[in-house]
Amino acid sequence: MFDMMKMMGKVKEMQSKMKEAQDKLEYIHETGEAGAGMVKATVNGKKQVISIEIDEALMSKEDKETVQDLTVAAINNALEKADVSAKEEIKKSTEGIMPNIPGMDLGNMF
């Protein structure tokens, strides 16, 4: 027979683990690159830009549009990496708490 109290306890445990995992996202840092590493962007697991590094070789006025394009590409690359890392952290934090229900991917909640 289905034990509702046991299930409620699991839900509370999962909520606690999810909060813990969300708090850890701030400390996940991923760096994306563009232009063979001439532009680097670092973001955290909460999808916040932490830093931008631009090679001095790109710092002329003629290259302004290139620098802008490479910066966007580097940020997008870093965000993709941070998204993967954040999903892995959530999955790791909630592993074994809830049964594996097909189609229920807690990593996609963020």
Side-chain angles (χ1 to χ4, degrees):
M1 188 75 183
F2 184 69
D3 187 351
M4 187 61 133
M5 293 304 288
K6 185 175 179 182
M7 181 64 173
M8 292 302 290
K10 289 285 188 185
V11 168
K12 289 277 188 196
E13 183 180 355
M14 186 181 76
Q15 287 175 331
S16 173
K17 293 287 187 179
M18 289 291 286
K19 172 77 171 101
E20 184 180 307
Q22 288 173 335
D23 292 343
K24 289 181 182 179
L25 295 181
E26 182 177 347
Y27 302 103
I28 293 173
H29 288 192
E30 291 291 346
T31 300
E33 298 182 1
M38 295 183 82
V39 176
K40 296 178 183 176
T42 301
V43 299
N44 67 17
K46 290 187 174 188
K47 299 182 181 179
Q48 299 167 323
V49 177
I50 304 300
S51 68
I52 304 272
E53 295 175 41
I54 301 172
D55 190 294
E56 288 183 28
L58 292 173
M59 299 310 290
S60 69
K61 289 188 182 216
E62 297 82 37
D63 292 328
K64 179 181 176 186
E65 190 173 318
T66 300
V67 171
Q68 291 170 334
D69 290 343
L70 291 175
T71 301
V72 168
I75 290 170
N76 286 334
N77 182 256
L79 287 170
E80 287 173 15
K81 290 179 179 181
D83 190 45
V84 169
S85 294
K87 286 179 181 180
E88 288 173 3
E89 181 64 38
I90 297 291
K91 184 177 179 179
K92 185 170 60 175
S93 295
T94 58
E95 199 168 52
I97 295 175
M98 294 295 284
N100 187 13
I101 300 170
M104 184 176 172
D105 184 3
L106 297 176
N108 283 328
M109 294 177 73
F110 304 97

